[in-house]
Amino acid sequence: MSTETLTPTTDDFAAMLEASLAGRDLAEGQVIKGIVTAIENDAVVVDVGLKTEGRIPVREFTGPGSKAPKVGDEVEVFLERIENALGEAMLSRDKARREESWDRLEQSFEKKEPVNGAIVGRVKGGFTVDLGGASAFLPGSQVDIRPVRDVGPLMNQEQPFAVLKMDRPRGNIVVSRRAVLEESRAEQRAELVGQLAEGEARDGIVKNITDYGAFVDLGGIDGLLHVTDMSWSRVGHPSEVVEVGQNVKVQIIKINKETQRISLGMKQLMSDPWEGVAAKYPVSATFKGRVTNIAEYGAFVELEEGVEGLVHVSEMSWTKKNIHPGKILSTSQEVEVMVLDVDADKRRISLGVKQTQRNPWEVFAETYPAGSQIQGEVKNITEFGLFVGLEGEIDGMVHLSDISWDQSGEQAIEAFKKGDLVDAKVLDVDIDKERVSLGIKQLAGDPMDSSGANRGDTVTCTVTEITTGGIEVTFGDDAAVKAFIRKSDLSRDRAEQRPERFAVGDKVDARITNVDKASRRVSLSVKALEIADERDAVQQYGSSDAGASLGDILGAAMREKDADKGE
């Protein structure tokens, strides 16, 4: 054994120490190369050339895309410490791979190139991706173009990812698998779109169904088959026509080069049932149809497959107004309709149901002309009259003024209630306005007509009420006619023009000065009667020129009048 080796000099020792310290400064905390000298159980022994060896767990060499090394292989490792308490170097393959990955990822991030990695675990909000040593976060929304329920088949499979964000100081990386798929799909879609032409027919497979249509796979590219382009007939939901997985033949209606959206149609491959529809369904003709849909404003009736018309709610019934169409018609019901209007350009047909039946007001006018007597049930009572149910499900109205001759309308209407049967006379039928006017008081006749009251007649009245302005009286048969004598008409003598000198029940003779049948008013005057009597007496018994005084003349007239009464 060499003496120099056993007893190194001070200079040799200094040189070795300097070399050791120099190695520590250059290597610790960096990635260095080493040689695999042995594989012991679950550890790989690596010589990094620092007069010492380090042990690295085998699992650090067997990540996704890696395989365990063999003795003699050169490997890159991260030197954490040159020597630990056991005199071994502290090495890490994971940290070496992480440093390598960060360098490589930063270059790819700058160039906007995809990187390879594998989904290795699930975390809150997404997944963990191993990018060859560097750990990245994959948000759940970035896994695929469409939501993925089962990510199992994608786990531990090497595949490309796009780097969205990198923060080396914090060790954060965010990646997206969806971005890579969309880019690839966009390239593929652009190529496929270039092979399609508007108007051509293609075979496809229904991939997905929504409320507004279905997506059809045309061989790597999807097109939208809108619900309105599935059939010439009304379609409530796309599932009524197609189902997922079904093979369908479609026509390419439109291709949007900018958005690469493709609109498809099925009905375009069928003959258009609206061709010649005006000749097939002339106005005023009647047809049978089936109710396909009911809306707030009316009902749609299918005349044949693909041809529907609208029965507006106002054209459903002559008598049922302001009610929901569903209370008149029901879905799938077969009805008879009349064609009211046809607009072939707008694909609209207006239909009517009530026109297939006779107008009930016309029928009523023929059966019950004005002057007829009719009986009906009180359906409703309003502030302006009674509504009476009549034949044909129509109503007639008795106005307040046509209820009673001698009572006010407000008083007369109190005698009626809903459900009462009433007799009435038909006063008028207005077919255009759909109105029937009835009268109850007209059944009894006008008391004014039966009273025989004429202007200038003298009548005997009965006082019914005393007021400050005059007296209320009645006259005629059964005291049917009411009248009012004003205070100024109570006497020719002003001193006698006092209402209080009369009492209820008194009999009073008065002269009819006016009869207004329109307003049903009769004007009476005691004063006018006195003047008329005086004039008649003067003519009969003489005048003051003949030597007789006015008192003599009136006295003679009164004696004759009393004598006539005595007889």
Side-chain angles (χ1 to χ4, degrees):
M1 183 175 292
S2 173
T3 307
E4 294 179 356
T5 304
L6 294 174
T7 57
T9 64
T10 304
D11 293 336
D12 292 335
F13 184 80
M16 287 187 290
L17 179 62
E18 185 177 347
S20 175
L21 293 174
R24 181 187 296 271
D25 292 339
L26 292 174
E28 208 168 70
Q30 296 179 13
V31 176
I32 60 176
K33 292 183 179 180
I35 303 297
V36 176
T37 59
I39 299 178
E40 301 174 354
N41 296 327
D42 59 348
V44 177
V45 181
V46 179
D47 181 6
V48 292
L50 295 175
K51 308 296 184 180
T52 184
E53 295 176 334
R55 293 175 179 272
I56 303 174
V58 174
R59 57 181 168 75
E60 293 192 19
F61 290 90
T62 57
S66 302
K67 58 182 180 179
K70 301 187 296 294
V71 175
D73 286 353
E74 184 179 71
V75 294
E76 290 187 342
V77 296
F78 184 84
L79 180 60
E80 296 185 68
R81 288 182 61 186
I82 293 177
E83 188 176 358
N84 61 9
L86 299 176
E88 295 178 343
M90 292 185 65
L91 307 176
S92 173
R93 175 58 185 161
D94 283 344
K95 290 185 178 180
R97 291 174 64 241
R98 188 177 300 117
E99 292 297 319
E100 292 173 7
S101 296
W102 273 98
D103 293 338
R104 174 172 48 82
L105 291 173
E106 285 179 339
Q107 293 177 8
S108 299
F109 183 59
E110 291 176 1
K111 296 178 182 179
K112 296 183 179 179
E113 296 176 345
V115 296
N116 289 331
I119 302 174
V120 294
R122 185 187 295 270
V123 295
K124 184 178 180 181
F127 303 88
T128 301
V129 178
D130 183 358
L131 300 176
S135 181
F137 174 64
L138 172 64
S141 61
Q142 297 297 318
V143 175
D144 206 329
I145 296 173
R146 291 191 177 94
V148 178
R149 293 184 179 179
D150 183 14
V151 189
L154 301 176
M155 298 290 285
N156 299 311
Q157 299 293 324
E158 187 170 355
Q159 52 196 312
F161 295 88
V163 180
L164 302 181
K165 181 181 178 182
M166 289 190 70
D167 187 345
R168 190 160 187 167
R170 296 184 178 181
N172 292 335
I173 304 175
V174 181
V175 295
S176 170
R177 179 173 176 269
R178 175 178 176 175
V180 175
L181 294 176
E182 286 181 341
E183 184 177 352
S184 173
R185 185 182 181 190
E187 294 174 358
Q188 181 185 17
R189 189 179 183 90
E191 182 180 351
L192 290 173
V193 167
Q195 300 172 3
L196 302 176
E198 293 182 359
E200 72 171 313
R202 287 261 181 165
D203 291 324
I205 300 175
V206 178
K207 289 184 63 178
N208 188 32
I209 295 177
T210 67
D211 289 338
Y212 53 86
F215 288 95
V216 179
D217 184 0
L218 301 177
I221 186 170
D222 291 350
L224 174 62
L225 174 60
H226 197 271
V227 63
T228 57
D229 290 311
M230 289 184 172
S231 172
W232 291 109
S233 301
R234 176 178 294 274
V235 179
H237 192 273
S239 59
E240 298 175 7
V241 181
V242 297
E243 58 184 22
V244 175
Q246 179 182 346
N247 290 308
V248 292
K249 195 170 192 67
V250 294
Q251 184 180 75
I252 298 174
I253 301 175
K254 186 178 181 180
I255 300 175
N256 190 319
K257 299 293 185 181
E258 295 181 1
T259 62
Q260 296 185 344
R261 290 182 179 175
I262 303 170
S263 298
L264 307 174
M266 287 174 61
K267 72 179 185 182
Q268 287 76 6
L269 298 174
M270 311 171 193
S271 59
D272 187 353
W274 282 85
E275 292 180 2
V277 74
K280 191 182 298 184
Y281 299 102
V283 174
S284 298
T286 58
F287 299 90
K288 292 281 188 179
R290 182 178 61 87
V291 178
T292 58
N293 189 38
I294 294 178
E296 292 285 339
Y297 49 86
F300 290 92
V301 176
E302 184 181 59
L303 300 175
E304 64 174 86
E305 187 174 357
V307 178
E308 285 185 344
L310 173 66
V311 181
H312 193 268
V313 64
S314 62
E315 307 296 345
M316 288 187 176
S317 172
W318 289 108
T319 57
K320 296 175 181 177
K321 309 289 186 181
N322 302 319
I323 64 173
H324 193 277
K327 294 185 178 180
I328 302 176
L329 299 176
S330 58
T331 304
S332 299
Q333 178 184 348
E334 188 175 276
V335 292
E336 186 176 14
V337 293
M338 178 180 286
V339 179
L340 305 181
D341 183 60
V342 179
D343 190 333
D345 295 334
K346 294 183 178 179
R347 297 175 176 268
R348 293 177 181 173
I349 298 180
S350 296
L351 304 173
V353 171
K354 72 180 186 182
Q355 287 80 1
T356 62
Q357 307 159 0
R358 283 201 66 191
N359 186 333
W361 279 272
E362 290 181 355
V363 176
F364 185 87
E366 293 174 4
T367 309
Y368 300 98
S372 302
Q373 185 172 334
I374 195 169
Q375 187 179 72
E377 180 182 336
V378 176
K379 295 291 186 180
N380 195 20
I381 300 176
T382 69
E383 59 183 8
F384 47 84
L386 303 171
F387 283 92
V388 179
L390 305 173
E391 291 182 13
E393 295 185 344
I394 65 176
D395 289 345
M397 191 187 80
V398 181
H399 194 269
L400 284 177
S401 60
D402 291 315
I403 297 178
S404 173
W405 290 113
D406 54 1
Q407 287 183 302
S408 67
E410 290 77 6
Q411 291 177 322
I413 202 170
E414 292 179 357
F416 298 90
K417 63 180 183 298
K418 284 185 181 181
D420 286 351
L421 285 178
V422 296
D423 292 318
K425 180 177 285 190
V426 178
L427 304 181
D428 181 59
V429 180
D430 190 327
I431 297 174
D432 294 333
K433 294 182 179 179
E434 299 181 348
R435 293 177 182 172
V436 176
S437 298
L438 304 175
I440 294 177
K441 71 181 184 181
Q442 285 79 0
L443 292 173
D446 191 344
M448 289 189 67
D449 294 336
S450 61
S451 67
N454 296 304
R455 184 178 180 183
D457 290 351
T458 299
V459 294
T460 300
C461 308
T462 301
V463 178
T464 58
E465 186 178 354
I466 311 298
T467 69
T468 56
I471 59 175
E472 292 276 359
V473 298
T474 59
F475 68 92
D477 296 339
D478 298 325
V481 183
K482 293 181 179 181
F484 183 74
I485 303 176
R486 294 180 300 174
K487 181 178 179 180
S488 59
D489 286 317
L490 289 176
S491 176
R492 180 178 181 182
D493 186 351
R494 184 178 296 274
E496 297 296 320
Q497 294 176 353
R498 293 177 292 106
E500 60 271 17
R501 72 186 182 89
F502 296 92
V504 174
D506 286 355
K507 301 292 185 182
V508 180
D509 289 339
R511 186 166 189 167
I512 298 175
T513 57
N514 188 44
V515 177
D516 187 345
K517 290 189 177 182
S519 62
R520 305 191 56 73
R521 295 182 66 181
V522 177
S523 299
L524 299 178
S525 174
V526 176
K527 176 181 177 180
L529 178 60
E530 291 175 346
I531 293 174
D533 287 345
E534 181 180 326
R535 184 175 59 250
D536 291 343
V538 170
Q539 291 178 354
Q540 183 174 356
Y541 297 102
S543 65
S544 56
D545 294 337
S549 66
L550 181 58
D552 296 335
I553 295 172
L554 291 177
M558 291 299 293
R559 285 192 296 274
E560 182 174 341
K561 188 174 181 180
D562 290 339
D564 292 339
K565 286 183 178 180
E567 294 177 357

